[in-house]
Short mmCIF file of all heavy atoms in Angstrom, two decimals:
data_model
loop_
_atom_site.label_atom_id
_atom_site.label_comp_id
_atom_site.label_asym_id
_atom_site.label_seq_id
_atom_site.Cartn_x
_atom_site.Cartn_y
_atom_site.Cartn_z
N PRO A 368 97.68 104.81 130.13
CA PRO A 368 96.59 105.40 130.96
C PRO A 368 96.13 106.72 130.22
O PRO A 368 97.03 107.34 129.50
CB PRO A 368 97.17 105.80 132.28
CG PRO A 368 98.67 105.84 132.04
CD PRO A 368 99.05 104.90 130.87
N PHE A 369 94.95 107.09 130.39
CA PHE A 369 94.45 108.36 129.74
C PHE A 369 94.07 109.42 130.83
O PHE A 369 93.11 109.13 131.56
CB PHE A 369 93.25 108.10 128.89
CG PHE A 369 92.75 109.32 128.14
CD1 PHE A 369 93.39 109.55 126.89
CD2 PHE A 369 91.82 110.19 128.66
CE1 PHE A 369 92.94 110.73 126.16
CE2 PHE A 369 91.38 111.30 127.95
CZ PHE A 369 91.91 111.57 126.73
N ARG A 370 94.88 110.50 131.05
CA ARG A 370 94.72 111.43 132.08
C ARG A 370 94.60 112.85 131.33
O ARG A 370 95.42 113.22 130.62
CB ARG A 370 95.80 111.44 133.03
CG ARG A 370 95.80 110.11 133.95
CD ARG A 370 96.85 110.31 135.05
NE ARG A 370 98.11 110.12 134.56
CZ ARG A 370 98.80 109.00 134.53
NH1 ARG A 370 98.14 107.93 135.07
NH2 ARG A 370 100.02 108.78 134.13
N ALA A 371 93.63 113.39 131.57
CA ALA A 371 93.24 114.83 130.87
C ALA A 371 92.57 115.67 131.84
O ALA A 371 91.70 115.37 132.70
CB ALA A 371 92.34 114.66 129.67
N ARG A 372 93.05 117.02 131.86
CA ARG A 372 92.48 117.98 132.67
C ARG A 372 92.43 119.29 131.93
O ARG A 372 93.26 119.52 130.92
CB ARG A 372 93.33 118.21 133.94
CG ARG A 372 94.79 118.51 133.72
CD ARG A 372 95.49 118.56 134.99
NE ARG A 372 96.98 118.76 134.72
CZ ARG A 372 97.64 119.78 134.53
NH1 ARG A 372 96.88 120.95 134.47
NH2 ARG A 372 98.91 119.89 134.38
N GLY A 373 91.53 120.16 132.22
CA GLY A 373 91.48 121.52 131.48
C GLY A 373 90.03 122.01 131.64
O GLY A 373 89.40 121.96 132.68
N VAL A 374 89.54 122.47 130.53
CA VAL A 374 88.26 123.19 130.48
C VAL A 374 87.15 122.32 129.80
O VAL A 374 87.40 122.01 128.62
CB VAL A 374 88.42 124.52 129.71
CG1 VAL A 374 87.06 125.24 129.71
CG2 VAL A 374 89.57 125.42 130.40
N TRP A 375 86.07 121.96 130.45
CA TRP A 375 85.02 121.23 130.00
C TRP A 375 83.88 122.27 129.87
O TRP A 375 83.37 122.67 130.88
CB TRP A 375 84.63 120.04 130.80
CG TRP A 375 85.74 119.14 131.02
CD1 TRP A 375 86.77 119.34 131.97
CD2 TRP A 375 86.01 117.87 130.50
NE1 TRP A 375 87.71 118.21 131.87
CE2 TRP A 375 87.17 117.26 131.06
CE3 TRP A 375 85.24 117.04 129.43
CZ2 TRP A 375 87.65 116.12 130.71
CZ3 TRP A 375 85.83 115.91 129.07
CH2 TRP A 375 86.96 115.38 129.73
N ILE A 376 83.42 122.57 128.64
CA ILE A 376 82.25 123.39 128.56
C ILE A 376 81.00 122.66 128.02
O ILE A 376 81.09 121.93 127.00
CB ILE A 376 82.56 124.50 127.50
CG1 ILE A 376 83.73 125.37 127.95
CG2 ILE A 376 81.45 125.52 127.40
CD1 ILE A 376 84.17 126.41 127.09
N GLY A 377 79.97 122.77 128.81
CA GLY A 377 78.69 122.07 128.47
C GLY A 377 77.58 122.76 128.98
O GLY A 377 77.68 123.98 129.46
N ASN A 378 76.39 122.22 128.88
CA ASN A 378 75.12 122.81 129.52
C ASN A 378 74.18 121.65 129.80
O ASN A 378 74.44 120.50 129.40
CB ASN A 378 74.60 123.88 128.57
CG ASN A 378 74.30 123.23 127.13
OD1 ASN A 378 73.51 122.28 127.07
ND2 ASN A 378 75.00 123.73 126.11
N GLU A 379 73.12 122.04 130.45
CA GLU A 379 72.04 121.04 130.94
C GLU A 379 71.47 120.39 129.69
O GLU A 379 70.93 119.28 129.80
CB GLU A 379 70.98 121.76 131.67
CG GLU A 379 70.30 122.78 131.10
CD GLU A 379 70.95 124.16 131.31
OE1 GLU A 379 72.19 124.10 131.65
OE2 GLU A 379 70.13 125.28 131.19
N THR A 380 71.53 121.02 128.51
CA THR A 380 70.95 120.35 127.28
C THR A 380 71.57 119.09 126.84
O THR A 380 71.05 118.23 126.23
CB THR A 380 70.91 121.43 126.04
OG1 THR A 380 70.64 122.69 126.56
CG2 THR A 380 69.98 120.94 125.00
N LEU A 381 72.82 119.00 127.26
CA LEU A 381 73.59 117.77 126.90
C LEU A 381 72.96 116.55 127.56
O LEU A 381 72.96 115.47 127.03
CB LEU A 381 75.05 117.87 127.41
CG LEU A 381 76.06 118.50 126.59
CD1 LEU A 381 77.48 118.66 127.22
CD2 LEU A 381 76.22 117.82 125.31
N ALA A 382 72.27 116.72 128.67
CA ALA A 382 71.57 115.66 129.46
C ALA A 382 70.42 115.12 128.53
O ALA A 382 69.93 113.96 128.77
CB ALA A 382 71.19 116.03 130.78
N LEU A 383 69.92 115.95 127.73
CA LEU A 383 68.75 115.55 126.86
C LEU A 383 69.25 115.03 125.51
O LEU A 383 68.44 114.67 124.60
CB LEU A 383 67.91 116.85 126.60
CG LEU A 383 67.27 117.52 127.86
CD1 LEU A 383 66.43 118.72 127.50
CD2 LEU A 383 66.58 116.56 128.63
N ASP A 384 70.58 115.03 125.27
CA ASP A 384 71.06 114.43 124.04
C ASP A 384 70.75 113.06 123.93
O ASP A 384 71.19 112.28 124.77
CB ASP A 384 72.55 114.70 123.95
CG ASP A 384 73.17 114.51 122.56
OD1 ASP A 384 72.60 113.59 121.86
OD2 ASP A 384 74.05 115.24 122.24
N THR A 385 70.02 112.58 122.85
CA THR A 385 69.59 111.19 122.73
C THR A 385 70.72 110.25 122.66
O THR A 385 70.72 109.10 122.98
CB THR A 385 68.64 111.06 121.58
OG1 THR A 385 69.35 111.50 120.44
CG2 THR A 385 67.40 111.79 121.64
N LEU A 386 71.86 110.81 122.14
CA LEU A 386 73.22 109.99 121.99
C LEU A 386 73.67 109.58 123.45
O LEU A 386 74.42 108.61 123.55
CB LEU A 386 74.20 110.69 121.21
CG LEU A 386 73.86 110.95 119.86
CD1 LEU A 386 74.89 111.82 119.17
CD2 LEU A 386 73.77 109.71 119.06
N VAL A 387 73.26 110.36 124.43
CA VAL A 387 73.75 110.08 125.77
C VAL A 387 72.65 109.43 126.57
O VAL A 387 72.86 108.37 127.28
CB VAL A 387 74.24 111.41 126.49
CG1 VAL A 387 74.67 111.05 127.97
CG2 VAL A 387 75.40 111.93 125.72
N SER A 388 71.43 109.95 126.58
CA SER A 388 70.47 109.47 127.51
C SER A 388 69.75 108.19 127.13
O SER A 388 69.07 107.46 127.91
CB SER A 388 69.37 110.51 127.60
OG SER A 388 68.81 110.83 126.42
N THR A 389 69.85 107.82 125.78
CA THR A 389 69.14 106.64 125.32
C THR A 389 70.12 105.66 124.94
O THR A 389 70.74 105.65 123.72
CB THR A 389 68.27 106.98 124.11
OG1 THR A 389 67.34 107.95 124.55
CG2 THR A 389 67.47 105.72 123.80
N PRO A 390 70.71 104.62 125.78
CA PRO A 390 71.75 103.74 125.37
C PRO A 390 71.20 102.69 124.42
O PRO A 390 69.96 102.46 124.37
CB PRO A 390 72.01 103.09 126.82
CG PRO A 390 70.74 103.19 127.65
CD PRO A 390 70.13 104.54 127.17
N PRO A 391 72.10 102.16 123.58
CA PRO A 391 71.59 101.25 122.60
C PRO A 391 71.19 99.99 123.30
O PRO A 391 71.64 99.61 124.36
CB PRO A 391 72.74 101.05 121.66
CG PRO A 391 73.99 101.46 122.63
CD PRO A 391 73.41 102.60 123.48
N PRO A 392 70.35 99.14 122.64
CA PRO A 392 69.99 97.81 123.32
C PRO A 392 71.25 96.92 123.44
O PRO A 392 72.13 97.08 122.65
CB PRO A 392 68.99 97.32 122.32
CG PRO A 392 69.21 97.89 121.04
CD PRO A 392 69.77 99.31 121.35
N ALA A 393 71.23 96.10 124.52
CA ALA A 393 72.29 95.12 124.70
C ALA A 393 72.45 94.18 123.53
O ALA A 393 71.37 93.60 123.02
CB ALA A 393 72.14 94.53 126.01
N ARG A 394 73.66 93.94 123.08
CA ARG A 394 73.78 93.06 121.94
C ARG A 394 75.31 92.57 122.05
O ARG A 394 76.13 93.31 122.47
CB ARG A 394 73.52 93.61 120.61
CG ARG A 394 74.31 94.76 120.24
CD ARG A 394 73.84 95.36 118.84
NE ARG A 394 74.57 96.63 118.58
CZ ARG A 394 74.38 97.30 117.47
NH1 ARG A 394 73.46 96.91 116.60
NH2 ARG A 394 75.12 98.32 117.18
N PRO A 395 75.65 91.45 121.51
CA PRO A 395 77.03 91.01 121.49
C PRO A 395 77.82 91.94 120.66
O PRO A 395 77.40 92.51 119.71
CB PRO A 395 77.07 89.65 120.87
CG PRO A 395 75.68 89.53 120.18
CD PRO A 395 74.68 90.46 120.91
N PRO A 396 79.06 92.16 121.09
CA PRO A 396 80.01 93.16 120.33
C PRO A 396 80.24 92.75 119.00
O PRO A 396 80.57 91.51 118.70
CB PRO A 396 81.26 93.20 121.30
CG PRO A 396 81.28 91.96 122.08
CD PRO A 396 79.82 91.66 122.29
N ALA A 397 80.20 93.62 118.06
CA ALA A 397 80.54 93.26 116.67
C ALA A 397 82.04 93.28 116.46
O ALA A 397 82.72 94.04 117.11
CB ALA A 397 79.80 94.26 115.71
N ALA A 398 82.40 92.52 115.48
CA ALA A 398 83.76 92.53 115.12
C ALA A 398 84.22 93.80 114.53
O ALA A 398 83.40 94.44 113.86
CB ALA A 398 84.07 91.35 114.14
N ALA A 399 85.53 94.21 114.82
CA ALA A 399 85.91 95.55 114.18
C ALA A 399 86.03 95.31 112.65
O ALA A 399 86.31 94.29 112.08
CB ALA A 399 87.37 95.78 114.76
N VAL A 400 85.71 96.37 112.01
CA VAL A 400 85.72 96.43 110.50
C VAL A 400 87.10 96.38 110.08
O VAL A 400 88.00 97.19 110.42
CB VAL A 400 85.04 97.67 109.95
CG1 VAL A 400 85.12 97.69 108.55
CG2 VAL A 400 83.66 97.79 110.48
N PRO A 401 87.54 95.31 109.28
CA PRO A 401 88.89 95.18 108.79
C PRO A 401 89.26 96.44 107.97
O PRO A 401 88.57 96.85 106.99
CB PRO A 401 88.89 93.97 107.90
CG PRO A 401 87.71 93.18 108.57
CD PRO A 401 86.61 94.19 108.84
N ASP A 402 90.44 96.99 108.27
CA ASP A 402 91.03 98.10 107.57
C ASP A 402 92.53 98.07 107.75
O ASP A 402 92.97 98.55 108.77
CB ASP A 402 90.42 99.42 107.93
CG ASP A 402 90.74 100.52 106.97
OD1 ASP A 402 91.68 100.29 106.06
OD2 ASP A 402 90.25 101.61 107.04
N PHE A 403 93.25 97.47 106.88
CA PHE A 403 94.68 97.22 107.03
C PHE A 403 95.43 97.93 105.90
O PHE A 403 95.07 97.97 104.81
CB PHE A 403 95.01 95.76 107.05
CG PHE A 403 94.21 94.99 108.13
CD1 PHE A 403 93.16 94.18 107.76
CD2 PHE A 403 94.67 94.95 109.36
CE1 PHE A 403 92.38 93.46 108.69
CE2 PHE A 403 93.94 94.29 110.29
CZ PHE A 403 92.90 93.49 109.97
N LEU A 404 96.55 98.50 106.35
CA LEU A 404 97.48 99.14 105.38
C LEU A 404 98.80 98.50 105.45
O LEU A 404 99.53 98.52 106.56
CB LEU A 404 97.60 100.67 105.61
CG LEU A 404 98.53 101.38 104.57
CD1 LEU A 404 97.79 101.39 103.38
CD2 LEU A 404 98.80 102.84 105.09
N TRP A 405 99.27 97.86 104.33
CA TRP A 405 100.69 97.22 104.49
C TRP A 405 101.47 97.89 103.53
O TRP A 405 101.32 98.41 102.45
CB TRP A 405 100.43 95.85 103.94
CG TRP A 405 101.73 95.04 103.74
CD1 TRP A 405 102.43 94.34 104.58
CD2 TRP A 405 102.46 94.94 102.44
NE1 TRP A 405 103.53 93.80 104.07
CE2 TRP A 405 103.60 94.09 102.81
CE3 TRP A 405 102.37 95.39 101.20
CZ2 TRP A 405 104.61 93.91 101.79
CZ3 TRP A 405 103.23 95.19 100.28
CH2 TRP A 405 104.35 94.35 100.51
N THR A 406 102.78 98.17 104.11
CA THR A 406 103.85 99.02 103.30
C THR A 406 105.12 98.20 103.03
O THR A 406 106.03 98.80 102.61
CB THR A 406 104.12 100.23 104.01
OG1 THR A 406 104.64 99.98 105.35
CG2 THR A 406 102.90 101.18 104.23
N GLY A 407 105.07 97.03 103.32
CA GLY A 407 106.22 96.18 102.96
C GLY A 407 107.33 96.16 104.12
O GLY A 407 107.01 96.82 105.16
N PRO A 408 108.47 95.52 103.95
CA PRO A 408 108.77 94.64 102.74
C PRO A 408 108.15 93.29 102.83
O PRO A 408 107.44 92.94 103.78
CB PRO A 408 110.33 94.56 102.90
CG PRO A 408 110.51 94.64 104.46
CD PRO A 408 109.58 95.56 104.97
N GLY A 409 108.33 92.62 101.80
CA GLY A 409 107.88 91.19 101.69
C GLY A 409 106.51 91.12 101.25
O GLY A 409 105.97 92.13 100.51
N LEU A 410 105.81 90.15 101.50
CA LEU A 410 104.33 89.93 101.12
C LEU A 410 103.29 90.50 102.11
O LEU A 410 103.52 90.36 103.32
CB LEU A 410 104.04 88.44 100.76
CG LEU A 410 104.87 87.87 99.48
CD1 LEU A 410 104.58 86.33 99.37
CD2 LEU A 410 104.49 88.64 98.28
N PRO A 411 102.11 90.87 101.82
CA PRO A 411 101.16 91.20 102.70
C PRO A 411 100.77 90.05 103.52
O PRO A 411 100.71 88.90 103.10
CB PRO A 411 100.05 91.77 101.77
CG PRO A 411 100.55 92.07 100.48
CD PRO A 411 101.77 91.18 100.35
N PRO A 412 100.34 90.29 104.82
CA PRO A 412 99.85 89.23 105.65
C PRO A 412 98.52 88.71 105.40
O PRO A 412 97.49 88.97 106.03
CB PRO A 412 99.87 89.91 107.03
CG PRO A 412 99.63 91.27 106.89
CD PRO A 412 100.39 91.59 105.50
N LEU A 413 98.35 88.01 104.24
CA LEU A 413 96.97 87.62 103.73
C LEU A 413 96.26 86.77 104.78
O LEU A 413 95.08 86.85 104.85
CB LEU A 413 97.22 86.92 102.41
CG LEU A 413 97.89 87.72 101.24
CD1 LEU A 413 97.92 86.84 99.97
CD2 LEU A 413 97.14 88.97 100.95
N GLY A 414 97.03 85.88 105.48
CA GLY A 414 96.25 85.11 106.36
C GLY A 414 95.67 85.88 107.43
O GLY A 414 94.47 85.57 107.91
N GLU A 415 96.34 86.94 108.04
CA GLU A 415 95.69 87.81 109.05
C GLU A 415 94.53 88.46 108.49
O GLU A 415 93.36 88.62 109.16
CB GLU A 415 96.74 88.70 109.63
CG GLU A 415 97.83 88.08 110.41
CD GLU A 415 98.87 89.00 110.88
OE1 GLU A 415 98.52 90.29 110.85
OE2 GLU A 415 99.97 88.69 111.27
N TRP A 416 94.61 88.95 107.17
CA TRP A 416 93.51 89.68 106.60
C TRP A 416 92.24 88.79 106.46
O TRP A 416 91.23 89.22 106.70
CB TRP A 416 94.00 90.32 105.32
CG TRP A 416 94.90 91.33 105.41
CD1 TRP A 416 95.50 91.87 106.60
CD2 TRP A 416 95.59 92.10 104.33
NE1 TRP A 416 96.49 92.87 106.31
CE2 TRP A 416 96.52 92.94 104.94
CE3 TRP A 416 95.54 92.06 102.93
CZ2 TRP A 416 97.38 93.89 104.13
CZ3 TRP A 416 96.23 92.95 102.16
CH2 TRP A 416 97.20 93.86 102.75
N ALA A 417 92.68 87.56 106.06
CA ALA A 417 91.36 86.62 105.71
C ALA A 417 90.85 86.33 107.17
O ALA A 417 89.54 86.20 107.19
CB ALA A 417 91.95 85.39 105.17
N ALA A 418 91.57 86.20 108.25
CA ALA A 418 90.92 85.92 109.57
C ALA A 418 90.03 87.05 109.88
O ALA A 418 88.96 86.85 110.45
CB ALA A 418 92.13 85.63 110.44
N ALA A 419 90.49 88.24 109.76
CA ALA A 419 89.68 89.31 110.13
C ALA A 419 88.45 89.43 109.21
O ALA A 419 87.39 89.71 109.78
CB ALA A 419 90.53 90.69 110.01
N PHE A 420 88.59 89.11 107.96
CA PHE A 420 87.53 89.13 107.20
C PHE A 420 86.42 88.17 107.57
O PHE A 420 85.20 88.49 107.49
CB PHE A 420 87.92 88.82 105.66
CG PHE A 420 86.90 88.55 104.63
CD1 PHE A 420 86.21 89.58 104.01
CD2 PHE A 420 86.39 87.12 104.43
CE1 PHE A 420 85.15 89.30 103.20
CE2 PHE A 420 85.43 86.81 103.57
CZ PHE A 420 84.80 87.90 102.93
N ARG A 421 86.81 86.92 107.94
CA ARG A 421 85.79 85.89 108.25
C ARG A 421 85.21 86.32 109.53
O ARG A 421 83.92 85.82 109.80
CB ARG A 421 86.63 84.61 108.43
CG ARG A 421 87.00 83.93 107.08
CD ARG A 421 87.44 82.45 107.29
NE ARG A 421 88.65 82.39 108.05
CZ ARG A 421 89.87 82.32 107.51
NH1 ARG A 421 89.95 82.46 106.04
NH2 ARG A 421 90.91 82.34 108.23
N LEU A 422 85.83 86.93 110.48
CA LEU A 422 85.13 87.36 111.67
C LEU A 422 83.98 88.44 111.38
O LEU A 422 82.98 88.52 112.03
CB LEU A 422 86.03 88.01 112.70
CG LEU A 422 87.07 87.04 113.56
CD1 LEU A 422 88.08 87.72 114.25
CD2 LEU A 422 86.05 86.23 114.36
N PHE A 423 84.19 89.26 110.45
CA PHE A 423 83.39 90.39 110.05
C PHE A 423 82.25 90.08 109.01
O PHE A 423 81.19 90.39 109.24
CB PHE A 423 84.24 91.63 109.59
CG PHE A 423 83.43 92.67 109.05
CD1 PHE A 423 82.72 93.54 109.81
CD2 PHE A 423 83.34 92.93 107.70
CE1 PHE A 423 81.96 94.54 109.38
CE2 PHE A 423 82.59 93.87 107.12
CZ PHE A 423 81.88 94.74 107.97
#
Side-chain angles (χ1 to χ4, degrees):
F369 185 86
R370 291 186 287 265
R372 56 184 172 84
V374 181
W375 304 78
I376 302 179
N378 56 62
E379 59 271 21
T380 317
L381 276 176
L383 304 177
D384 193 326
T385 55
L386 295 174
V387 176
S388 59
T389 307
R394 60 182 179 182
V400 179
D402 191 348
F403 302 103
L404 184 71
W405 173 85
T406 59
L410 293 174
L413 300 182
E415 295 179 14
W416 293 0
F420 168 86
R421 286 193 292 271
L422 286 174
F423 167 78

